[in-house]
Amino acid sequence: MKPDRFFWILIFSYLPFFPCFSQSSDIIDSLIKVSKTDLSDQERVDIYNQIAYQFDTDSAQVSKYSFAAINLGTKIEYQEGISIAYDNLAWMSLLTGYFDTAEKYWNEALSLAKTSSYWKGEAKAYNGLGLLRQSQGKHSESVDYFLKSLKIMEREEYTVGLAPAYNN
C-alpha cells in the first residue's frame, strides 16, 4: 500500500472519534439557517460556498451547495464566488480520487480568478494543482504550481497563507 493511501485511510478511520466534528455540524446548521434568510444574491453565494466547505468529505452535499453557488453566481456574474465553488468541488474531487475532475475544476477556478483579479483564488488554485500533481507523483510539476502560488501570496503579503503553502 502506498504511504499516501495509508495516511488517508488512517485519517478517515479516526474521524468519527474526534469531538470537534460535532462543532462542524453546528456550523453547518447555522449556515443553512442563515441561507434561508433575506440575503443579497452575492451573500447567498458566499454562504453556499461556506456550507460546501464545511461539508468537506460529503461529496453529495459539497456538490449540491457548490453547484447552487455556481448557478446563482453565474446569474449575478459573481466570478469570485464561482471560483470558490469550483475550488470546493476540486478539493472534494481530489479527496475522492477523481484527479481528472479535480484538475478540470481547479483550472476553471484559476481561469475565473484571473479574469476577476481574485488573487487569493488564483493562489489557491495553483496550490491545489500542486497538491494534485504531488498526489500523482509528478513532483517537478507540483513544485512549479506551488511556486506560482507562493509568488502570488508573497506579492500580496498574504502571510496567513504563506506558512501552509511553504509546508507543501
Side-chain angles (χ1 to χ4, degrees):
M1 182 179 291
K2 291 183 176 182
D4 288 347
R5 280 199 180 146
F6 178 75
F7 171 78
W8 288 111
I9 290 170
L10 185 66
I11 293 296
F12 288 122
S13 298
Y14 286 99
L15 284 179
F17 300 106
F18 288 99
C20 63
F21 291 98
S22 64
Q23 183 180 9
S24 180
S25 177
D26 292 342
I27 293 169
I28 291 168
D29 292 343
S30 295
L31 288 168
I32 290 172
K33 282 182 186 176
V34 169
S35 75
K36 295 176 181 175
T37 63
D38 188 28
L39 300 171
S40 72
D41 286 343
Q42 183 171 329
E43 289 170 326
R44 195 171 311 283
V45 169
D46 291 337
I47 293 292
Y48 288 159
N49 280 327
Q50 290 176 39
I51 294 170
Y53 178 80
Q54 291 297 321
F55 272 115
D56 191 33
T57 57
D58 184 338
S59 59
Q61 294 298 324
V62 172
S63 294
K64 174 184 173 180
Y65 286 100
S66 294
F67 283 115
I70 290 167
N71 290 335
L72 184 54
T74 301
K75 178 181 164 190
I76 63 170
E77 298 180 7
Y78 180 34
Q79 303 298 312
E80 181 178 320
I82 301 168
S83 176
I84 294 167
Y86 278 116
D87 183 67
N88 287 333
L89 289 167
W91 275 109
M92 184 263 308
S93 298
L94 177 68
L95 291 174
T96 55
Y98 292 96
F99 295 153
D100 290 343
T101 305
E103 181 175 15
K104 179 183 101 175
Y105 287 144
W106 268 315
N107 282 325
E108 188 63 32
L110 179 62
S111 174
L112 289 162
K114 284 181 175 182
T115 301
S116 61
S117 301
Y118 174 45
W119 63 264
K120 193 184 289 187
E122 193 176 340
K124 286 173 61 176
Y126 279 131
N127 190 63
L129 287 164
L131 288 169
L132 171 66
R133 291 294 185 255
Q134 188 176 46
S135 298
Q136 295 172 318
K138 299 177 181 178
H139 300 291
S140 62
E141 285 183 49
S142 71
V143 169
D144 291 341
Y145 283 121
F146 290 142
L147 290 174
K148 287 179 181 181
S149 177
L150 282 170
K151 186 176 178 180
I152 292 167
M153 286 187 248
E154 287 172 345
R155 181 189 73 217
E156 299 297 330
E157 298 178 6
Y158 184 60
T159 55
V160 173
L162 282 173
Y166 276 125
N167 192 41
N168 290 333

